[in-house]
Amino acid sequence: MLNKIKQLFSALNDTQSNISEHDLKTAVAALLIEVMRADDELQYDEQQTLNETLKKYFSLTDEEVQELVASASQHLDDAIDYFQFSKQINAQCSAEQRIDIIELLWRLAYADGNLDKHEEMVIRRVASLLYVTHEDFIAAKLAATKLS
């Protein structure tokens, strides 16, 4: 009986570690893409902002950005929630870096000059998963609007 219980927990741990693990780049890109998709309108300005953000934030070439966007889009399509992405970010980023990521999400949301309620909802949900306080959430939003 004890062995069966150990096997069950072992199987659960194996399943959890086999859940699509993403590296930091893929996780950030996936969340950015989710904000871009939230309003069901793919805007050129948003796509450009996504590409420029990934290029600058991760020091990537245009080709690497295209590969990352394709990979992150596929992972996002296969995902059932944002946890697998937020887990990677939380494991690898400081609180300040997580706030910076929220600011990147806000910049992308404002890229087309219009903040959609669905975009805001995604950012709010992600901020919660990244343990970003409401104060920092608002500060990141204000910082993004000043740069837009």
Side-chain angles (χ1 to χ4, degrees):
M1 177 84 160
L2 187 58
N3 284 336
K4 287 188 180 192
I5 292 172
K6 285 182 182 178
Q7 288 174 343
L8 174 64
F9 282 118
S10 177
L12 284 174
N13 286 335
D14 290 345
T15 302
Q16 287 175 347
S17 44
N18 287 334
I19 292 175
S20 249
E21 291 292 331
H22 306 284
D23 67 8
L24 180 62
K25 291 176 192 172
T26 304
V28 172
L31 294 175
L32 285 163
I33 292 166
E34 183 66 8
V35 169
M36 190 173 69
R37 291 178 176 177
D39 63 2
D40 292 327
E41 294 180 25
L42 205 55
Q43 301 287 334
Y44 176 77
D45 293 339
E46 290 176 332
Q47 185 66 51
Q48 285 301 110
T49 300
L50 172 69
N51 293 342
E52 290 170 16
T53 299
L54 293 173
K55 189 174 184 177
K56 181 180 176 184
Y57 197 76
F58 293 116
S59 302
L60 301 175
T61 65
D62 289 335
E63 184 177 304
E64 290 170 328
V65 167
Q66 288 177 348
E67 290 173 12
L68 178 59
V69 168
S71 173
S73 294
Q74 183 60 51
H75 285 296
L76 190 58
D77 290 342
D78 295 339
I80 57 171
D81 60 20
Y82 307 140
F83 178 75
Q84 55 193 314
F85 306 114
S86 64
K87 178 182 171 186
Q88 284 294 328
I89 293 168
N90 287 332
Q92 298 180 51
C93 295
S94 68
E96 186 176 306
Q97 290 170 320
R98 294 191 310 267
I99 294 166
D100 289 344
I101 291 169
I102 296 301
E103 185 177 332
L104 294 177
L105 297 176
W106 280 120
R107 284 189 201 165
L108 183 62
Y110 281 112
D112 62 358
N114 181 37
L115 176 64
D116 184 86
K117 65 181 179 181
H118 296 99
E119 292 170 329
E120 184 171 1
M121 182 185 70
V122 168
I123 298 169
R124 189 173 296 280
R125 201 174 292 160
V126 170
S128 175
L129 288 168
L130 297 182
Y131 307 113
V132 172
T133 66
H134 184 70
E135 181 181 302
D136 290 332
F137 171 82
I138 296 301
K141 181 178 184 179
L142 293 173
T145 58
K146 288 178 185 174
L147 296 174
S148 296

